[in-house]
Amino acid sequence: MRIYATDSPRAVSRLLALAMIVDGHLAPAELKAMHHSGILQGVGIDEDDFDDVVQELCEDLLATAHQRGAGEVEIDAKLLDGLLHDVEDPALRMGTMKAMLDIVHADTVLDGRETLLIQRAFKAWGAPVAARAA
């Protein structure tokens, strides 16, 4: 897996891309939700660079996949935690989480893999008090 600087636009973009593809496909509504969130502009990355990050993520996932059964790539927990810990700034985490939630809810179908990604992010980043109480 490529290494991006902590709190960098590419580290954030990789998590957004993962939120889009974790369910096995990229829905146009998810891409629209990400653009609508304004996070790319907020972290200072343009669409071409974001597209590069998506391509790199797909290449890296295929190269590091432990299991490729039925055309699906399984991401192990240690790798996912490492990607999540590439974003450390609390405000950046909050913005990234909001955008990830917007993305996974955009197509109105919450896939189990999307749920696991969001749960893992809450665990890695520390869920807000309101989320823990729910």
Side-chain angles (χ1 to χ4, degrees), residues 9-10 13 35 40-41 43-52:
R10 285 187 172 264
S13 294
H35 287 297
L40 294 184
Q41 297 85 356
V43 298
I45 194 162
D46 64 31
E47 289 187 36
D48 289 336
D49 286 338
F50 179 76
D51 290 345
D52 290 344

Side-chain angles (χ1 to χ4, degrees), residues 69-85:
E72 294 183 3
V73 173
E74 186 174 306
I75 304 169
D76 75 19
K78 184 176 179 181
L79 173 61
L80 182 53
D81 288 346
L83 299 179
L84 290 164
H85 286 294

Side-chain angles (χ1 to χ4, degrees), residues 7 12 15-16 37-39 43 84 87-103 118 121-122 124-131:
D7 294 335
V12 171
L15 291 174
L16 301 176
S37 76
I39 187 120
V43 298
L84 290 164
V87 178
E88 293 180 352
D89 178 81
L92 191 54
R93 283 180 171 179
M94 186 179 300
T96 303
M97 178 61 81
K98 183 187 178 317
M100 289 170 63
L101 287 166
D102 290 347
I103 289 165
I118 297 301
F122 273 125
W125 292 345
V129 174

Side-chain angles (χ1 to χ4, degrees), residues 62 96 117:
L62 287 172
T96 303
L117 172 62

